[in-house]
Amino acid sequence: MSRKENLEFLLNRVESRQKELGELSSYLLELESQLALIFAASPDMIVFIHHDGRIIKISQAVWKILGYDKEEIVGKYIWDFIHPDDVGKTQRIRTKLIEDKFLYFDYQNYFTNRWRHKKGYYIKLAWKFSLYDDREDQTIGIATDITNLALENPFHFNLVHKAVELTNDGIVITNMLEPDNPIIYANKAFCKITGYDQTDLIGMNCRLLQSDNKRQKALDTIRDAIANGESCEVLLRNYKKDKTVFFNHVLISPILDNGIVTNYIGISRDLTPLIENGIYVWDENAPRGFGKNLKANG
Ligand SMILES: Cc1cc2nc3c(=O)[nH]c(=O)nc-3n(C[C@H](O)[C@H](O)[C@H](O)COP(=O)(O)O)c2cc1C
């Protein structure tokens, strides 16, 4: 090859390389603008986190979900935002993910924790994580705000409400923050079992069902459970509005908000037919109202 031919060949190579590079950079620009669009539009929070817990990059949703501007969160450590009770769990899961070199937003990497909103309260986030395969020292997390999942989603809310209204179990909710723990909600089945309507029940303590029958040992069990913020299950002799006796299988459970018992939920079932048929035996002196005397006839 002559010098001239050699030069032409090299020039051609340079030109085709320049063309390739031009195509590549416009492709990269396109990718970058697509990524920026996803970052801006995603209702979920997308977060790039260094393995030491430092937040590297975060999508716009952080403002909507947690109330922070990017500058208030980028460069800080995730531990500064996570609820102290959730730090241990988050640390364990992240360590395992990094050790296992997880590369997928797999259901196995799904977990929840609470992050502090700028205003001080906590937001419950459902996370999916993956290692960032181009940068071995980072993970990518995608977080959905599930704080008010049932309430914000009208479909869920209606469904839950319908289920609670239509079940055959009596359901009452009481308010522990008001004096004497009054009923604030009673479903249709509770009204049907007790013969009272909602306006009779709201504002009253459930003991209105006991009439004068207050010596039952199972009431001590309920008192102890409430005093300790615990749940319990008892069989009580109760009276309907028209004073007929019925045997009420009651299960009560505390509802906590930030570690404080704010409410109790009670689930009642009328076991009178089973008592009348001798399948269950009520015992006034048994701690749970049936205790050892519970028997089944098959
Ligand atoms: C959620 C909930 C549901 C309750 N349901 C009943 C019930 O159906 N019948 C009943 O006799 N007591 C029921 N109780 C118990 C009474 O409300 C009360 O706690 C019990 O009588 C003991 O307290 P006292 O000594 O102040 O009466 C329920 C309590 C709670 C918290």
Side-chain angles (χ1 to χ4, degrees), residues 172 174 180-181 190 205-207 209-210 219 222-223 226 236 238 248 250 252 264-266 268:
V172 276
T174 64
D180 207 28
N181 196 17
F190 194 82
N205 184 289
C206 293
R207 82 171 74 77
L209 300 173
Q210 294 157 16
L219 290 177
I222 292 203
R223 281 184 204 109
I226 296 175
L236 297 168
N238 276 167
N248 191 357
V250 182
I252 65 163
Y264 256 89
I265 179 165
S268 283

Side-chain angles (χ1 to χ4, degrees), residues 11-272:
L11 268 173
N12 278 341
R13 283 287 296 269
V14 169
E15 267 171 23
S16 71
R17 274 290 209 222
Q18 270 175 342
K19 204 168 152 232
E20 272 171 34
L21 274 176
E23 281 166 5
L24 200 68
S25 74
S26 60
Y27 174 65
L28 280 177
L29 273 176
E30 197 184 319
L31 269 187
E32 208 174 280
S33 69
Q34 280 170 357
L35 192 70
L37 206 71
I38 294 171
F39 249 62
S42 165
D44 291 336
M45 232 164 67
I46 307 169
V47 198
F48 288 69
I49 306 168
H50 193 274
H51 287 349
D52 66 8
R54 227 172 341 115
I55 298 166
I56 310 280
K57 194 175 161 88
I58 196 146
S59 66
Q60 250 96 316
V62 67
W63 182 79
K64 208 183 105 234
I65 296 177
L66 294 175
Y68 301 104
D69 285 326
K70 275 189 196 164
E71 306 76 61
E72 294 173 294
I73 200 164
V74 171
K76 301 248 170 67
Y77 287 85
I78 55 172
W79 321 116
D80 298 341
F81 299 94
I82 296 172
H83 191 291
D85 292 348
D86 295 346
V87 165
K89 170 175 96 171
T90 308
Q91 242 159 358
R92 271 196 307 281
I93 293 170
R94 276 180 55 78
T95 308
K96 184 156 180 4
L97 174 89
I98 293 164
E99 277 171 9
D100 292 354
K101 299 201 186 306
F102 252 110
L103 275 181
Y104 307 103
F105 293 100
D106 202 274
Y107 70 94
Q108 290 175 48
N109 301 339
Y110 174 94
F111 72 100
T112 64
N113 64 14
R114 287 161 294 173
W115 280 50
R116 202 182 53 255
H117 188 278
K118 193 175 174 182
K119 290 187 177 156
Y121 53 84
Y122 282 90
I123 297 290
K124 192 164 188 184
L125 297 174
W127 286 93
K128 275 182 186 168
F129 267 107
S130 168
L131 282 193
Y132 182 14
D133 53 354
D134 284 344
R135 299 285 299 269
E136 287 202 337
D137 56 356
Q138 290 179 28
T139 48
I140 311 172
I142 299 180
T144 309
D145 178 3
I146 55 164
T147 317
N148 295 314
L149 198 59
L151 297 180
E152 270 181 9
N153 181 330
F155 176 73
H156 282 167
F157 182 75
N158 288 340
L159 197 66
V160 171
H161 188 250
K162 256 189 210 161
V164 167
E165 276 296 296
L166 293 179
T167 175
N168 286 327
D169 288 327
I171 297 179
V172 276
I173 299 175
T174 64
N175 185 0
M176 288 287 284
L177 303 180
E178 274 184 57
D180 207 28
N181 196 17
I183 297 171
I184 54 167
Y185 171 79
N187 73 347
K188 286 202 183 93
F190 194 82
C191 296
K192 194 167 165 219
I193 293 170
T194 62
Y196 289 98
D197 58 37
Q198 281 181 333
T199 48
D200 297 324
L201 294 166
I202 306 293
M204 303 299 287
N205 184 289
C206 293
R207 82 171 74 77
L208 95 156
L209 300 173
Q210 294 157 16
S211 192
D212 293 329
N213 200 332
K214 309 237 188 262
R215 283 197 323 274
Q216 315 172 41
K217 197 98 180 36
L219 290 177
D220 287 338
T221 305
I222 292 203
R223 281 184 204 109
D224 288 350
I226 296 175
N228 295 315
E230 289 168 357
S231 49
C232 75
E233 183 189 351
V234 289
L235 184 61
L236 297 168
R237 190 178 159 101
N238 276 167
Y239 298 84
K240 297 190 188 222
K241 189 176 180 179
D242 66 7
K243 299 295 170 216
T244 51
V245 172
F246 74 102
F247 291 91
N248 191 357
H249 179 266
V250 182
L251 215 156
I252 65 163
S253 306
I255 300 173
L256 283 87
D257 187 14
N258 280 323
I260 295 165
V261 179
T262 54
N263 302 83
Y264 256 89
I265 179 165
I267 300 178
S268 283
R269 209 170 258 194
D270 183 358
L271 291 194
T272 312

